[in-house]
Amino acid sequence: MAGIRTFTCTPGYDIQREAITKTSVADFDQPGLFSAVNGAARPTYRFVINISALTRIQAQSLSAFHSFHQGGKAFYVDGFVWSSISTLNLLAEGNGTKKEFFLTNRNIDSNSLTVAVFDGVTHSITTAYSLVSAAAGIISFATAPTSGHDIEASHAHKYKVVFEPDGLKMDEFAQSVFRVQLKLRELGV
């Protein structure tokens, strides 16, 4: 089977998502004076997935999946609460000149993408954009959105991840019943 595999989470798993930002802060000599610079257009994420009860066969299958991927081979994770943004959410503010914008996530399902411009009163759904890169999550407008107008989007997406170095912990807490903890880190494009 060629290509990147997908791990699908079952609803009900205990999943935590942590945003990893690349922000640098420089303090100045004046108290309370500092400068903060973001080193990336959006954060990447770290996930901890706790699965409370797997059968021996399920645990062995998950262990084999981990062994195949370990920390160096990417895969997609899908099927949990963060796999879609179902309502229009802010992603940028127009400035009258900029046409390209990063969506809030990468690996976008292009069939699910809805883009709108909000002028402070009305949300106007638009088709005057193109999805430049689904993998990178970049859209481009034909004409730059008006300065001060919010650009909003909703979409479904997957996360491209790798296992963290301590990415799989397994515990047989009853005969042939296992607790599992997965630690995953999202890859930028």
Side-chain angles (χ1 to χ4, degrees), residues 29 56 62 74 119 121 125 131 163:
D29 291 337
R56 179 174 298 283
L62 186 54
D119 64 6
V121 177
I125 304 294
L131 182 59
F163 282 104

Side-chain angles (χ1 to χ4, degrees), residues 7-170:
F7 176 77
T8 302
C9 292
T10 302
Y13 288 170
D14 170 25
I15 304 170
Q16 294 92 44
R17 181 178 79 162
E18 174 188 3
I20 303 167
T21 59
K22 296 180 180 175
T23 305
S24 298
V25 177
D27 287 318
F28 297 113
D29 291 337
Q30 301 290 329
L33 213 59
F34 66 93
S35 175
V37 177
N38 290 328
R42 64 179 158 231
T44 56
Y45 295 97
R46 182 175 295 133
F47 299 95
V48 176
I49 303 170
N50 294 297
I51 306 169
S52 59
L54 290 180
T55 64
R56 179 174 298 283
I57 291 171
Q58 291 169 322
Q60 288 171 341
S61 178
L62 186 54
S63 184
F65 185 83
H66 175 264
S67 180
F68 177 76
H69 289 88
Q70 295 183 39
K73 191 175 279 193
F75 59 96
Y76 292 112
V77 65
D78 191 11
F80 54 70
V81 68
W82 294 290
S83 294
S84 69
I85 298 172
S86 56
T87 58
L88 292 169
N89 281 288
L90 176 68
L91 64 102
E93 184 178 301
N95 65 7
T97 58
K98 185 177 178 181
K99 294 181 181 181
E100 281 195 359
F101 297 91
F102 284 97
L103 295 167
T104 53
N105 294 88
R106 301 164 183 82
N107 304 302
I108 305 299
D109 173 358
S110 59
N111 295 321
S112 70
L113 181 59
T114 301
V115 176
V117 177
F118 180 58
D119 64 6
V121 177
T122 305
H123 295 269
S124 302
I125 304 294
T126 182
T127 57
Y129 71 91
S130 59
L131 182 59
V132 175
S133 171
I138 300 172
I139 59 171
S140 180
F141 286 89
T143 304
T146 304
S147 183
H149 288 193
D150 290 346
I151 298 124
E152 303 172 324
S154 64
H155 54 78
H157 54 276
K158 295 187 268 190
Y159 291 93
K160 188 175 183 180
V161 299
V162 293
F163 282 104
E164 290 272 329
D166 61 345
L168 176 66
K169 292 182 182 176
M170 215 174 268

